Amino acid sequence: METVKLGILGMGTVATGLINIIELNNSKIIETINKNLAVSKVLVKSLNKKREVSLPQNVYTTDAYEVINDKDTQIIVELIGGINHAYEYIKAALNNKKHVVTANKALIATHGGELEDLAAANGVKLMYEASVAGGIPILNTISESLAANEFEKIIGIINGTTNYILTQMAESGLEYDQAVKEAQRLGFAEADPSSDVEGDDAAYKIAILSNIAFGQRIEIKNVPKEGITKISKEDITYARELGYNIKLLASAVKNDGELELSVHPAFIPAEHPLSTVKNEFNAVFLKGNAVGELMFYGKGAGSLPTGSAVLGDVMSIVKNSQRDNTEIKKNDRYKIADKAFKPYYIRLEVIDKPGVLAKIAGVFGVHGISLASVMQRQKNGNNTAPLVFITHKAYRKSIDEALNEISRFEEVTKVCSIITVENFK
Ligand code: HSE
C-alpha cells in the first residue's frame, strides 16, 4: 500500500493533536483513503524538548526548508501560526508542488487569494478548514453541502477565549480581569490575550467565512471590530435582567445588495440558540435562502478538535477529491456597508436630580433615536445613579453623536457602555 508523507511545520497543540489522531484512528484512516499516512519531517524550535507524541527523533529538524524541500513529502501542514514565516514557507511549499493544509486564519485572511492562485498555478491544493471554528466543519459545509444557497447572514461565536471569559463573568460572577486569568490558567487564553479579547481573531475568521459564503473578497481592514475589554459585570447583570446574554459576535449580513461585516459584543435574547453557547464552545448560525436557518456547534480550538479539521483536509487531498471547497474569491459582488443600524443598550451614570432624564431623552429625540425602554436603579453611594436605555434601531453614528452631546451635560458623570442589541430581525 502506498504511503503518503506529511511534513509538519510547528509542533504545538494542534500538531500534537494531528499526530495523535493519526495514531488513534489509524485503521479508519487507512480504510478511508486506501493509503498509509506517515510523518516525514517536523519543524520544531528545539530538538531537546520532550513531546507528547511518539515520533522517531530523526524526523525533527529546526530547519523549515528541510521539511519543505523533502522530496518524498507530498503534503505540508503549516501549524506555526503568525504571518511572516508562515507566508514564506507556504509559498515555498506550493512552488515545490506540495499540497498545503493550514490552520492559520491570520495568513489566510490576509494573503489567501494570492496563495490560492499560487496553489492553482502549481496544480496543488491549499486547504484551511481548521482556520475557522477549529473542529466545526464550517468552510467545507458552506462551500459544498450548502453550495445551492445564496446566504443572507452568518453570525458566529467564533472565539472560544472570549466566550469563556463572558460566560464566567455571567455565571461565576468574575470580574473581567479575573475571568481572563482563569482562561489563561486553563490554557484557553494566551499569556498576551489581545488578539482574542480585542476581536482580531474573530475578525480574521469572519473575513474567511464571508469570502467562502458570499464569494466576496474581504480586506481585513474593512471588518469593523470591537472586543470585550470594556464589558463590565454591571452590563452582564443588566443584560440578564432584560432577558439577554452578552456574547462576542462576528457577523456578515447581506442587506439590499450590501454586505455588512462586524465583530462586536452584543446582547442576544436568552431564548436564541446562540445564547446557549457557553464557555470555550463556538457556534455558527447562518441563513441560506433555500436551507433556512442552521446552527453548527462545537469546539473551536484545542488539540484533537483542531487536529481533526486539519486531518480531514489532509485526507481529502489524499483521496484526490475534486472538491474545491475553500477557494478564496476575488470578486467584489457587494458594496461593504458600515451602518450598524441596530437597537443599542446604553448605560450612563448621572447625578440623580429632577429633569436629567428629560434632558437626555431630548437629545436622543433630536438625533432621531427612539427609546424602547428606560431603567433607573437605586443610587450609587455618591449621589449618582445608573441610567440604562434600550433604543429602537438607530445608526451607530447617530448614537455616537447623541452621546457626545449628552456626555457634556454636567449631570452626566460617565457614559459607561454602548452595546449592540441583536434581535435577529
Ligand atoms: N484563540 C482562538 C479562540 C482559537 O479562542 O477561539 C484559535 O483561533
Side-chain angles (χ1 to χ4, degrees):
M1 187 180 285
E2 190 191 334
T3 296
V4 173
K5 296 198 171 159
L6 308 183
I8 304 177
L9 301 171
M11 188 64 241
T13 315
V14 179
T16 304
L18 168 68
I19 293 164
N20 284 333
I21 303 169
I22 294 176
E23 200 175 302
L24 178 73
N25 295 341
N26 197 254
S27 38
K28 160 77 195 297
I29 292 165
I30 293 173
E31 256 172 49
T32 309
I33 60 177
N34 213 14
K35 294 191 174 113
N36 279 311
L37 280 185
V39 175
S40 49
K41 293 273 173 206
V42 182
L43 172 69
V44 290
K45 278 194 199 135
S46 153
L47 292 173
N48 302 322
K49 196 170 159 186
K50 190 166 161 10
R51 303 179 193 281
E52 289 163 34
V53 292
S54 48
L55 289 179
Q57 191 58 29
N58 65 2
V59 303
Y60 297 115
T61 170
T62 52
D63 176 3
Y65 290 92
E66 238 188 81
V67 184
I68 298 163
N69 294 335
D70 182 70
K71 65 178 179 16
D72 296 329
T73 298
Q74 288 119 301
I75 302 176
I76 300 293
V77 179
E78 183 275 308
L79 299 169
I80 56 173
I83 296 187
N84 298 337
H85 289 307
Y87 175 65
E88 293 307 327
Y89 296 162
I90 289 181
K91 275 203 308 193
L94 295 171
N95 281 326
N96 275 353
K97 305 211 181 310
K98 300 192 191 294
H99 304 287
V100 171
V101 175
T102 176
N104 192 328
K105 67 224 68 151
L107 181 66
I108 294 299
T110 48
H111 295 289
E114 177 197 340
L115 294 173
E116 285 278 358
D117 285 349
L118 191 58
N122 283 286
V124 289
K125 294 206 169 191
L126 169 67
M127 297 188 74
Y128 42 90
E129 175 64 66
S131 66
V132 177
I136 304 177
I138 191 65
L139 300 185
N140 294 331
T141 303
I142 289 177
S143 58
E144 229 187 321
S145 311
L146 298 173
N149 288 264
E150 281 284 354
F151 292 97
E152 294 175 21
K153 63 170 112 175
I154 299 182
I155 302 183
I157 295 172
I158 46 179
N159 182 268
T161 305
T162 47
N163 202 40
Y164 178 83
I165 293 168
L166 292 172
T167 306
Q168 290 303 311
M169 288 173 75
E171 299 196 345
S172 307
L174 300 186
E175 294 288 355
Y176 173 78
D177 290 340
Q178 294 173 307
V180 171
K181 283 209 179 79
E182 188 56 11
Q184 284 167 327
R185 191 183 68 78
L186 292 170
F188 298 139
E190 315 259 340
D192 172 4
S194 46
S195 165
D196 292 316
V197 298
E198 303 285 356
D200 300 88
D201 177 82
Y204 291 133
K205 291 169 180 169
I206 196 67
I208 297 171
L209 273 170
S210 303
N211 191 281
I212 304 296
F214 297 102
Q216 174 77 20
R217 174 178 54 183
I218 305 292
E219 290 203 41
I220 196 71
K221 68 174 175 16
N222 290 335
V223 183
K225 80 182 165 66
E226 182 186 329
I228 62 161
T229 53
K230 293 189 205 136
I231 301 291
S232 72
K233 235 167 69 176
E234 283 89 340
D235 296 320
I236 287 177
T237 306
Y238 279 115
R240 299 193 111 191
E241 278 182 35
L242 292 160
Y244 295 91
N245 286 300
I246 300 181
K247 300 283 180 192
L248 182 70
L249 294 186
S251 62
V253 178
K254 207 167 72 183
N255 213 342
D256 290 337
E258 294 186 331
L259 187 64
E260 183 145 4
L261 294 121
S262 148
V263 172
H264 58 275
F267 277 40
I268 306 181
E271 65 277 8
H272 191 275
L274 281 173
S275 248
T276 63
V277 179
K278 294 187 180 179
N279 290 315
E280 74 275 25
F281 279 85
N282 281 202
V284 179
F285 176 84
L286 57 80
K287 188 166 180 195
N289 65 347
V291 75
E293 292 181 348
L294 290 171
M295 188 165 111
F296 302 85
Y297 171 87
K299 286 197 174 149
S303 186
L304 294 177
T306 313
S308 152
V310 170
L311 191 48
D313 278 352
V314 167
M315 290 169 69
S316 160
I317 289 171
V318 176
K319 281 192 293 179
N320 197 20
S321 139
Q322 289 306 302
R323 73 185 192 198
D324 232 345
N325 44 359
T326 48
E327 191 189 351
I328 287 279
K329 307 293 191 305
K330 288 168 206 70
N331 306 336
D332 288 318
R333 291 176 77 195
Y334 302 101
K335 185 167 177 287
I336 302 293
D338 183 13
K339 294 183 177 145
F341 184 63
K342 308 249 172 177
Y344 286 89
Y345 155 94
I346 295 161
R347 180 164 63 89
L348 307 177
E349 187 188 80
V350 301
I351 306 280
D352 195 12
K353 67 179 198 191
V356 176
L357 178 57
K359 237 170 124 174
I360 292 170
V363 177
F364 282 131
V366 167
H367 287 270
I369 299 162
S370 171
L371 298 174
S373 67
V374 182
M375 201 158 79
Q376 181 181 340
R377 281 293 140 83
Q378 72 281 12
K379 281 185 195 172
N380 302 327
N382 54 358
N383 198 35
T384 63
L387 200 50
V388 169
F389 300 89
I390 304 273
T391 72
H392 286 297
K393 279 189 180 180
Y395 293 103
R396 175 62 193 247
K397 190 165 175 286
S398 312
I399 297 275
D400 288 340
E401 284 167 4
L403 286 173
N404 188 23
E405 232 170 275
I406 288 167
S407 67
R408 283 189 249 124
F409 292 156
E410 62 181 24
E411 299 91 339
V412 175
T413 47
K414 196 169 174 198
V415 176
C416 307
S417 326
I418 315 165
I419 303 175
T420 304
V421 178
E422 186 57 73
N423 280 329
F424 297 88
K425 286 181 189 132

